[in-house]
Amino acid sequence: MTPVTSIVSTLPEQLAGRLTDEQRQAVLEAARGQRVAALAAALGLAEADALALVAETAGLDLAGDIRPDRRALGLMPARLVHDYQVVPILESGADPAEDSVDDAPETQNPESKTQNPSAPLHLATAWPPNAVMLDWVRTFTPRPLRWHLAPPDRVHQLIIEHYGVGSGSLEDSDEEFAPVQNPQGAEEMVDEEAAVVRFVSDVITQAIADAATDIHFEPQEGQLRIRYRVDGLLVPVPLPENLLRFQDAIISRLKIMARLNISERRLPQDGRINFKIDGTTLDIRVSTIPTIYAESVSLRLLNQKKEAFTMDRLGMNAEEQGIIKRVLDYPHGIILVTGPTGSGKSTSLNAFLRQINSPDLRIVTIEDPIEYEVPGVNQMQVRPEIGLTFAGALRHVLRQDPDVIMVGEIRDLDTAEIAIRASLTGHLVFSTIHTNDAAGAYTRLVDMGVEPFLVASAIELVIAQRLVRRLCPACARPQPVNRAKLHDTLAVLGVDPAEADAVNELMAPAGCDRCRKSGYRGRIGIFEILRPNDELHDLILKRESARVLTKCARDHGMLTLQHSGWEKVKAGHTTLEELLRVITVTEK
């Protein structure tokens, strides 16, 4: 190999001189994709400025909008691409038509690698290459190299999209097994086990980076499909082509991590994994079910140390916060949060707990699972497998002299009656229940068997909520409205169509690298807040329907979920299309 001296191998001298020994070591010890961030932190710069500084001092072109060179993607092995964070790109100004998706990658025809050895190969990297990296790249292509420095996030995104999550981990083990009794075969088996361990870790790590709440491993005919749930929607995960032959090993690895019985494939199983990353331990809940092809495995990611939401971050406006804060000051009563699974009910309850948390209050929670750690609060995890249910735990908590109790969910009559009894004997109780709207919480409890007079007396506030995707702030653009269509949409939502008359434009999604071209990033809550009054109290005693209760509440000023969502649309936080996706027309 010929030594390379044209590009600095570690850190440009101009930058090295501005860092202390400790800072220089921290930058060089960071992974290649994280060195720009480490340098930015050391110099007190924004990452974009640090990247530009590195490009200038290293004498490299700073690439902006990089596009993959699909015909050159197969030149280098996935392991090298992942380890060095480098990806072939089109030359700036090149015609995208020349890089058609239909063009075969160069590796599909070995002769294609040498068809035009003089054509430059443009490579985007997250950090200037060193001599070892250059020699490795030149091992796989004779073409002249043209290096470009690019944002690390964008380089990583292209690698994931075109090589697949964990493709570098599985690549070295894509050989058929030799007989087990052969020492060489035993070594290959060990290599494959290590590769599967790395792959599973890569999939979970990428899910955390994408802010996914769930990971689903789904065996299908001829493939193992993996999907993340991001912002409430399922997103297919790009995967390496050789994944299928590792399917059984991957499922077994997940079961081993969750301490499940790997030999039992006929029955569903539940377990949990403690996954450590960047000094944080994640609690991952694991569920398996048998399907016609193999076991399907679902992972729920819970980060108890993650930053908790305040009422501002939940998306509540000042008026909504004012209503809730007044009730939070009550010494007793029940506050219920309603909505379907995944609507952020537990997140809201934890925001309320943090709002009232103080040294002079004894707060006890009963949860399944514990999603956030709240300093100063006594948090209990239910364990139905040993008889510790919500109702049983609540009975014991009442003997603990609590001021405030949070019950994760009211699922049955027993839990409901104990919670109501606790609220009537001087405790403030928070809980959740599954109903479509706020008024439905009253009728659901009555249907469970709770006496209407107890329901009417105990409940001080009901909040129905949903989560809608938030428009990406980096790419959202104003767009003129089609007034006729807007009138029709508002009518469908149950909002006065006349409100469209004063609206000339609304924010719309565009799509960019930061939001994975979706136009949305993160979620925001919409809320329906019901404060009972005397008229509503009488209707509850008469066992009136949820529809009648809702009409009464609206007549007294309650804003429905649809109205709350429309306010978020007008404020530029989300779109009508997203609102219609989350709130069905039947919920009017």
Side-chain angles (χ1 to χ4, degrees), residues 371-386:
E371 296 190 30
Y372 300 86
E373 285 187 11
V374 184
V377 173
N378 304 277
Q379 297 177 264
M380 180 191 301
Q381 166 77 50
V382 301
R383 300 189 183 279
E385 67 275 11
I386 60 173

Side-chain angles (χ1 to χ4, degrees), residues 327-328 330-337 349 394 405 407 410 415-425 427-433 441-442 445 450 454-463 530-532:
V327 179
L328 291 178
Y330 286 9
H332 55 78
I334 291 182
I335 298 176
L336 287 177
V337 181
L349 289 183
L394 186 52
I405 305 170
V407 184
I410 294 178
T415 306
E417 288 182 333
I418 300 170
I420 288 176
R421 191 184 317 136
S423 71
L424 295 176
T425 55
H427 303 88
L428 185 61
V429 180
F430 299 158
S431 192
T432 70
I433 192 168
Y442 292 97
L445 289 171
V450 182
L454 291 175
V455 174
S457 301
I459 297 178
E460 299 290 351
L461 187 71
V462 182
I463 305 166
L530 191 156
R531 282 286 306 275

